[in-house]
Amino acid sequence: MGTWMATIRFPDGVERYARYSTVVEALVSDLYPASHVHNYREEPAGEPLPTFRDRPRAPVDQLIPVVISHAPDDDRWHAVYCPQRCMIVGPVSPYRSWRIQEANDLVPGDGDGLRHLSQLRERGLCGAPVVDAPLTYRRYLSWGEDGDDQPPFTDIYADWAGGEMCRDCLLLALDQAE
Ligand SMILES: [Zn+2]
């Protein structure tokens, strides 16, 4: 029973629902307008909402930040929704979000006031020049490793609308990861 209901919360208070698989660690359905309880378990209900996969992705400033959680433990993460394709751009799970943070350094831009994602330390994924001084991330701990000095967990997609995180880098990291 690795499929649970995910709830997608939009900034205007609208909620959508989808199926989430703990086997592949991802949303595995289109979005639904409603949910109901079936066999003591919540699941998406009604007809899935239409998607437009062939349309171009909306410009970056029209993408919508959403908060997604999935049953049964209300595991929560931030993601981005495309209003043109009517689909989640990503990340499709907290695991994928964490993988992106593992694969990229978080680095300050060189004078642009933004934080970028980088794999080379000279440029962000978006091409902007960055300072060679990665900001601290919470790392994955090996078994038995002491994590007391770890910085708190960061969800870089939570900063989508905050104006300090480079959204081009966030999108490019998604394209690499998905
Ligand atoms: Zn960038």
Side-chain angles (χ1 to χ4, degrees), residues 4 8 14 20 43 55 59 64 83 88 90 111 117 125-126 170 174:
W4 299 89
I8 297 99
V14 168
Y20 181 89
E43 42 179 59
R55 287 186 188 171
I64 300 169
I88 300 293
L117 297 175
L125 297 180
C126 67
L170 289 175
L174 280 179

Side-chain angles (χ1 to χ4, degrees), residues 116 126 166 169:
H116 299 266
C126 67
C166 173
C169 276

Side-chain angles (χ1 to χ4, degrees), residues 6-17 27 31 64-70 74-81 88 90-91 155 157-160:
T7 303
I8 297 99
R9 295 175 182 82
F10 287 78
D12 60 3
V14 168
E15 288 189 356
R16 300 291 187 224
Y17 309 93
L27 298 173
L31 304 189
I64 300 169
V66 293
V67 180
I68 309 178
S69 61
H70 71 78
D74 201 36
D75 209 356
R76 207 167 262 258
W77 74 101
H78 289 76
V80 181
Y81 173 84
I88 300 293
D155 182 345
Y157 289 87
D159 291 334
W160 180 266

Side-chain angles (χ1 to χ4, degrees), residues 112 114-117 123-128 130 165-170 172:
D112 63 6
L114 291 174
R115 287 174 293 153
H116 299 266
L117 297 175
R123 303 251 163 208
L125 297 180
C126 67
V130 296
M165 191 68 213
C166 173
R167 296 183 296 185
D168 290 330
C169 276
L170 289 175
L172 287 162

Side-chain angles (χ1 to χ4, degrees), residues 20 24-26 70 75 77 91-102 153:
Y20 181 89
V24 295
E25 302 256 25
H70 71 78
D75 209 356
W77 74 101
V92 293
S93 71
Y95 174 73
R96 306 276 179 100
S97 189
W98 173 79
R99 287 292 305 163
I100 286 170
Q101 298 184 198
E102 281 291 296
F153 177 74

